[in-house]
Amino acid sequence: MWVHLLVITLLAAVYWVRQRFAYWEKRGVPYVPPTFPQGNLAGVGKKRHMSEILQSCYKQLKSSGRPYGGIHFFINPVALLIDPDLIKTVLVKDFPYFHDRNLYHNDRDDPLSRHLVAMEGLKWKNLRAKLTPTFTSGKMKLMFSTVTAVAEEFDRCMSDEVKINPVVEMKDLLARFTTDVIGSVAFGLECNSLKDPDAKFRVMGRKVFQASPYRALKIFLAAQFPEIARALHVKLTQPDVSDFFMGVVKDTIDFRRNNNVQRNDFMTLLMKVMKEQVENGEAAGDSKDQLTMDDIAAQAFVFFLAGFETSSTAMSFCLYELALNQELQDKARQNIAEVLKSYDTISYEAVHEMKYIEMCINESLRKYPPATTLTRRVEKDYRVAGTDQVLEKGIMVAVPVYALHHDPEHFPNPEQFDPERFTAAQSEKRHPFAFLPFGEGPRICIGLRFGMMQARIGLVYLLKHFRFTLAKDRMSVPLKISSASPILTIDGGLWLNVERL
């Protein structure tokens, strides 16, 4: 009897998987044929990075001339967006149909997962509105001196490193710089990871991105079957990481309240929002939109992760390209020197006048976008303009950022590092939705200004005082990308010869 039951169950499962894999064919949508069990993601995380796989799918589907095509993430159908006009519609014009990112969060078991990046619906909208004032240009100006104080320490640390050995692994050093910046700006704490590579903040930051087979299984379950994962109490944040950040946030808030400490940082703004809720009576009752201590910890956590990892990888890739192209490095250094003739010091205004540095960072973000894919979930059936096709409620749409950034139609000779692509004249000629390093629309990266300011300051201090060339015996050209990392990062570190000027 049980054998019959097993056979029937297996046949039903096979039939269900086949139906899932026939999803796009039945709807007459061009698609890349999937294979069991990974759909179109065969080799992801082992041999190939996600960006490479989606670039291959993008190229195949673009030839159909349709605005989007069908792929599968394992057994789940995903609409891969090709046309920048449709991408603009999804991210901005018809945002209410696509307002959530389809990222796993488990508010009950994993409070650090209920951050702005993964949050959904009205709760996301209300919190986003409350946090947006933190990231205005005025607030960036107030935080500028905090970042430059860490940059001065970074400069001293670099000088000490070069005295010991002129061949320096820059990727880790840059991550330690951004860790100290974010620790100071988000938590008001001295992380000291520049002085001590094993400082607690740096250890915890590294741990979040550590891969293991067990963790990969949890991430797979959470991404493909979020409701089942929540029912099974799956947590993606490691317990010691969660305890550390929860503890730091609680201790910081308690200390500031008890000692009436005011700083120009992220934590002060979150505390202000919390205080206003109490004064306005929002915290009374069971308002779902009230900001709790757990919420503050989650926002500080995601700001820390997004701020240290993406900015340090963007600077790493930029330094790699400038080390490879000495004439571009000289041009960037000349830009710094020319602007500083008009200023006594490296000020907020001076750094923003360094247009060539900004162009170098933008070109680095084009060629190596840290977030290679944007995702959205369809909230209600959506008819694609100019077609008879409907994107059904519940399926996912994906914007292949890396593929767009490497499409010769938008960026001729895409493998060449060319900052001149980002002059005002060149940028105007291009479709604005062909370049999406921070996303776009209401869910654009809230820390965009801060990330750019941090990268600018870091590069200005480095290029002003040091010359970089490639340590050819330790680096490959072209670069080897880590296939296992969720964000685009250099495999094996960035080894450069560094000379103090």
Side-chain angles (χ1 to χ4, degrees):
M1 177 67 187
W2 66 268
V3 174
H4 288 109
L5 197 61
L6 184 64
V7 169
I8 289 166
T9 304
L10 281 172
L11 287 172
V14 168
Y15 176 76
W16 180 68
V17 169
R18 281 190 169 169
Q19 289 301 304
R20 296 288 281 179
F21 278 172
Y23 183 90
W24 295 115
E25 186 180 11
K26 282 181 179 175
R27 286 158 180 78
V29 173
Y31 69 101
V32 181
T35 55
F36 185 79
Q38 290 171 294
N40 298 109
L41 299 183
V44 72
K46 289 178 183 170
K47 296 176 187 169
R48 304 164 80 198
H49 191 269
M50 179 84 155
S51 59
E52 191 188 340
I53 290 170
L54 291 191
Q55 185 184 24
S56 171
C57 293
Y58 172 90
K59 285 176 178 174
Q60 290 177 64
L61 294 168
K62 189 173 179 182
S63 61
S64 72
R66 305 278 277 276
Y68 75 97
I71 57 171
H72 281 79
F73 287 0
F74 294 88
I75 56 169
N76 290 327
V78 174
L80 191 72
L81 307 187
I82 308 294
D83 175 41
D85 286 325
L86 178 59
I87 291 168
K88 180 180 180 180
T89 300
V90 165
L91 297 181
V92 183
K93 188 166 163 259
D94 289 332
F95 175 75
Y97 285 87
F98 307 93
H99 57 73
D100 293 335
R101 280 203 176 98
N102 206 42
L103 294 178
Y104 180 73
H105 57 95
N106 181 347
D107 296 9
R108 177 190 56 197
D109 303 301
D110 189 1
L112 287 188
S113 71
R114 65 175 190 229
H115 49 69
L116 201 62
V117 177
M119 210 176 259
E120 298 176 347
L122 196 60
K123 181 146 190 176
W124 165 78
K125 187 181 178 184
N126 291 339
L127 185 62
R128 174 87 187 203
K130 286 171 180 171
L131 295 186
T132 298
T134 319
F135 296 99
T136 59
S137 51
K139 285 286 195 300
M140 292 304 101
K141 210 167 177 178
L142 291 173
M143 293 178 190
F144 188 85
S145 59
T146 309
V147 183
T148 52
V150 180
E152 295 282 355
E153 178 60 39
F154 185 31
D155 187 49
R156 287 190 288 274
C157 179
M158 279 290 297
S159 295
D160 293 343
E161 288 276 340
V162 173
K163 282 173 195 167
I164 299 163
N165 189 344
V167 181
V168 180
E169 201 288 277
M170 288 300 301
K171 184 168 163 268
D172 184 61
L173 256 179
L174 286 163
R176 283 155 60 191
F177 163 63
T178 55
T179 295
D180 283 1
V181 168
I182 299 292
S184 189
V185 169
F187 299 94
L189 298 173
E190 286 188 22
C191 300
N192 287 323
S193 66
L194 279 168
K195 290 174 183 165
D196 175 13
D198 295 317
K200 199 73 192 264
F201 264 91
R202 181 71 191 112
V203 170
M204 290 299 165
R206 272 198 300 258
K207 188 156 189 181
V208 173
F209 293 96
Q210 271 171 8
S212 73
Y214 175 58
R215 190 141 189 264
L217 184 65
K218 289 205 295 185
I219 291 168
F220 163 73
L221 183 66
Q224 301 304 312
F225 308 102
E227 295 305 326
I228 294 172
R230 276 189 276 268
L232 294 172
H233 305 276
V234 169
K235 297 191 284 188
L236 297 185
T237 314
Q238 300 96 315
D240 53 343
V241 172
S242 186
D243 292 345
F244 172 73
F245 280 98
M246 286 289 190
V248 165
V249 169
K250 189 176 181 305
D251 292 348
T252 302
I253 288 174
D254 287 346
F255 178 79
R256 290 192 184 191
R257 278 178 178 161
N258 296 336
N259 297 279
N260 196 25
V261 174
Q262 296 293 321
R263 283 175 57 108
N264 293 316
D265 63 11
F266 187 59
M267 193 63 75
T268 295
L269 185 104
L270 290 171
M271 287 173 68
K272 191 175 164 215
V273 170
M274 209 172 173
K275 188 181 174 190
E276 283 169 2
Q277 280 178 171
V278 175
E279 288 168 356
N280 298 337
E282 284 179 51
D286 62 346
S287 167
K288 282 188 176 179
D289 298 324
Q290 72 188 57
L291 196 65
T292 64
M293 187 73 84
D294 284 355
D295 287 326
I296 286 188
Q299 308 326 312
F301 173 66
V302 78
F303 181 46
F304 173 76
L305 288 189
F308 98 78
E309 187 66 18
T310 56
S311 291
S312 65
T313 52
M315 284 191 281
S316 295
F317 285 124
C318 194
L319 274 185
Y320 167 80
E321 290 288 352
L322 293 178
L324 209 56
N325 300 281
Q326 287 298 308
E327 70 285 2
L328 300 184
Q329 189 180 144
D330 288 337
K331 195 169 177 181
R333 197 173 286 111
Q334 190 183 344
N335 180 221
I336 295 165
E338 280 173 4
V339 170
L340 288 180
K341 281 178 190 169
S342 311
Y343 294 87
D344 296 334
T345 181
I346 297 174
S347 64
Y348 181 82
E349 290 76 16
V351 166
H352 278 77
E353 260 185 53
M354 296 171 188
K355 294 301 177 193
Y356 194 75
I357 297 294
E358 184 179 347
M359 285 157 59
C360 288
I361 295 169
N362 279 330
E363 176 64 346
S364 175
L365 290 169
R366 179 205 63 87
K367 196 173 173 187
Y368 310 99
T372 63
T373 314
L374 305 174
T375 58
R376 296 288 187 270
R377 187 176 63 228
V378 183
E379 300 303 320
K380 45 192 171 180
D381 286 0
Y382 178 80
R383 182 172 294 282
V384 179
T387 75
D388 57 356
Q389 296 292 338
V390 171
L391 294 174
E392 292 182 327
K393 179 183 175 179
I395 77 154
M396 193 161 97
V397 299
V399 178
V401 174
Y402 183 90
L404 283 165
H405 288 191
H406 288 77
D407 184 338
E409 184 187 331
H410 306 307
F411 298 97
N413 196 3
E415 295 312 311
Q416 184 186 342
F417 183 84
D418 179 13
E420 299 296 330
R421 297 181 203 274
F422 289 94
T423 60
Q426 287 299 318
S427 296
E428 270 175 34
K429 289 179 191 172
R430 198 165 43 239
H431 196 295
F433 281 71
F435 179 61
L436 298 167
F438 296 98
E440 201 39 271
R443 286 201 91 131
I444 192 170
C445 170
I446 196 170
L448 149 63
R449 278 194 182 98
F450 184 82
M452 284 297 285
M453 180 175 83
Q454 182 178 222
R456 275 192 187 108
I457 293 169
L459 287 171
V460 166
Y461 271 82
L462 287 172
L463 294 169
K464 184 173 185 283
H465 298 133
F466 303 94
R467 177 174 297 283
F468 300 91
T469 52
L470 223 53
K472 289 183 179 163
D473 54 328
R474 307 203 63 164
M475 292 299 299
S476 60
V477 181
L479 265 183
K480 192 166 184 284
I481 298 296
S482 169
S483 58
S485 172
I487 68 165
L488 213 62
T489 185
I490 302 168
D491 193 20
L494 172 63
W495 295 90
L496 300 179
N497 300 310
V498 185
E499 174 198 346
R500 176 99 202 180
L501 295 173

